[in-house]
Structures are given as C-alpha cells and as structure tokens.
Amino acid sequence: MKKRACSYIRASTTAELQPNSLEVQRAIVRSFAENNGYTLEEEFFEYASGTNDLRTQWNNALGYAETNDAFIICWRVDRFSRSLTSFSKSNSMLHKLRFVELGDIEPTALVMSVLIAAGQNAALNTRVRIKETMRVLKQRDGRTWGNPRINETAYPASLKVRTNNAQAFNSYISDIVKDYKCAGYNLPQCVNKLNNLGIRTRRGKVWTYHLLRRVINYNERASQ
C-alpha cells in the first residue's frame, strides 16, 4: 500500500540565479518516492533562506503533513532547514520526515540537530566570507559601498550596532544550546558540540564551559 506524502523543495535565491535547483530537487524527490512506495499528493516549493523559520511553504508543508497524516520528503536536511530554532517546530514530526540523503528511515533528533547546526554554521560562514571580501577589496583598491560619508555618520551609531550584533549572536548561540538540551545534552556536552561543528565565539575562539554559560546568562538577562 502506498504511503501518503508531500514534498518540500527550496532554493536560497531566485529562479534567475538558480534556474535548475528546484527541478533537480524535484526529480530526486520523485524518484525516491517512487522507489520507496510513497505517493506524492502535494508539492511545496519556494525561494527563501533556510535560516528563516517563517517560510510560508515550509510551514504549509508541516501543516499539510500533520493534517493529512502524510510524510514530508525532502532532498537534504539543509534544504529543509538551516536553523536550529526550527527543531522545536519539527521535532514532534520526526517520524513523518524523510530525507533522500539519509534513505528511507526516520531521522533521529541527534542527526537532525547536527545536520541543521552544520547548515546554520555554513550560512553564517558565508556572511563572514562576504564581509571579509569587502574588507580586502576596500583595503586593496579603496573600493567603497553605500554612503561615501559613512565615516562621518557611523560613529554615533557604532555602539548600538555592536550591542545589537552581540545580542543577536548570543541569542543565536542560546537557541542552539536550547535545542541540544531538548535532545538530551547537558551544557558541557553542548560546549563539545559547538567546537566540533566549528562554531566559534564572536572573537573566533573555541568555547569553554564558562564562556558558554556567560553567553546564556547574558541572553537570559537581555530577554527579561
């Protein structure tokens, strides 16, 4: 008997920049469904960042699967999500998730958290790489972006920007730790997980128990 399923397909940018991405994923998912006894009833696709938990079609796919007791089939975990905060929205449906890269098996909470964290870290590294490229170009040939009077106007806002960046980073790390704790890890184990995944502090250093505890405490105070 065929198993009911829908598919979720995502590309990060636009149809112009990634003209073949959806078609490739669609073909892979359809082949997987056919070979493993699934009937694809609906397809949900979108161009959106995997770090955005408010993606319309992603949430629609979760809703469809829950309402219709159907599976969600996706090519890879990083196509499904690049945000650990999504773990709390999808962990109750692990038994209904199937990823072509993993085979026709139910993904465990550990596998999901590790692969999503790796995808999230890759997205963060991309932003860092772009920022560093801009810095090198500016240093090499004086290239500038945006307002040419930025040096005259930036200083009053710089402290606020740094504070906001610190709060965003602390929130990002706290969300990762929260998801790991949901998966059964204690704080020392979370330290090891972050370091093993290559996720560093804002200053590029490896995590210690005390550094991670300080970030979590700071984020808790800021949210009160």
Side-chain angles (χ1 to χ4, degrees):
M1 181 178 179
K2 291 281 188 177
K3 293 165 282 190
R4 304 180 67 182
C6 65
S7 61
Y8 177 73
I9 299 170
R10 180 186 68 81
S12 300
T13 54
T14 64
E16 290 72 24
L17 294 176
Q18 293 181 288
N20 301 315
S21 180
L22 297 189
E23 283 304 320
V24 170
Q25 293 181 57
R26 184 173 290 119
I28 292 173
V29 168
R30 286 177 176 172
S31 177
F32 174 88
E34 182 178 348
N35 292 334
N36 291 282
Y38 294 92
T39 299
L40 291 176
E41 301 175 336
E42 293 287 341
E43 177 184 275
F44 299 91
F45 67 90
E46 59 193 336
Y47 289 93
S49 170
T51 61
N52 178 11
D53 295 343
L54 300 179
R55 284 170 285 147
T56 301
Q57 295 303 313
W58 182 74
N59 281 283
N60 287 346
L62 291 176
Y64 181 89
E66 184 173 13
T67 301
N68 296 278
D69 192 25
F71 290 87
I72 301 177
I73 302 177
C74 191
W75 174 31
R76 294 164 43 137
V77 174
D78 67 357
R79 295 298 88 197
F80 184 72
S81 180
R82 285 177 178 258
S83 167
L84 271 173
T85 57
S86 68
F87 191 80
S88 61
K89 298 188 67 172
S90 59
N91 65 350
S92 63
M93 297 185 62
L94 290 181
H95 64 295
K96 286 296 184 181
L97 300 181
R98 292 295 182 270
F99 298 96
V100 177
E101 67 173 336
L102 301 178
D104 189 21
I105 61 173
E106 177 182 336
T108 65
L110 174 61
V111 168
M112 287 290 290
S113 63
V114 169
L115 292 179
I116 289 176
Q120 186 173 27
N121 192 49
L124 180 63
N125 286 338
T126 297
R127 292 193 290 270
V128 172
R129 186 169 63 250
I130 292 172
K131 182 178 180 179
E132 182 64 14
T133 299
M134 294 172 69
R135 185 193 67 79
V136 170
L137 291 174
K138 180 179 180 180
Q139 185 179 57
R140 187 185 67 188
D141 56 22
R143 191 175 307 184
T144 60
W145 291 265
N147 183 359
R149 298 180 63 247
I150 189 65
N151 289 332
E152 302 172 26
T153 60
Y155 292 113
S158 61
L159 178 59
K160 181 178 180 180
V161 169
R162 290 196 299 271
T163 300
N164 289 341
N165 287 343
Q167 291 175 345
F169 180 81
N170 291 339
S171 179
Y172 158 69
I173 294 298
S174 295
D175 285 340
I176 293 177
V177 171
K178 186 185 300 182
D179 287 333
Y180 272 130
K181 285 186 173 180
C182 287
Y185 294 98
N186 59 32
L187 195 60
Q189 291 172 322
C190 290
V191 171
N192 292 332
K193 287 293 181 183
L194 291 173
N195 289 330
N196 290 339
L197 288 170
I199 300 176
R200 298 294 183 251
T201 69
R202 289 187 71 226
R203 297 183 182 276
K205 299 182 181 298
V206 297
W207 289 99
T208 65
Y209 175 88
H210 295 293
L211 283 175
L212 188 56
R213 182 73 262 172
R214 186 185 308 165
V215 165
I216 294 173
N217 288 341
Y218 182 92
N219 187 67
E220 289 175 349
R221 289 195 301 270
S223 62
Q224 289 177 352

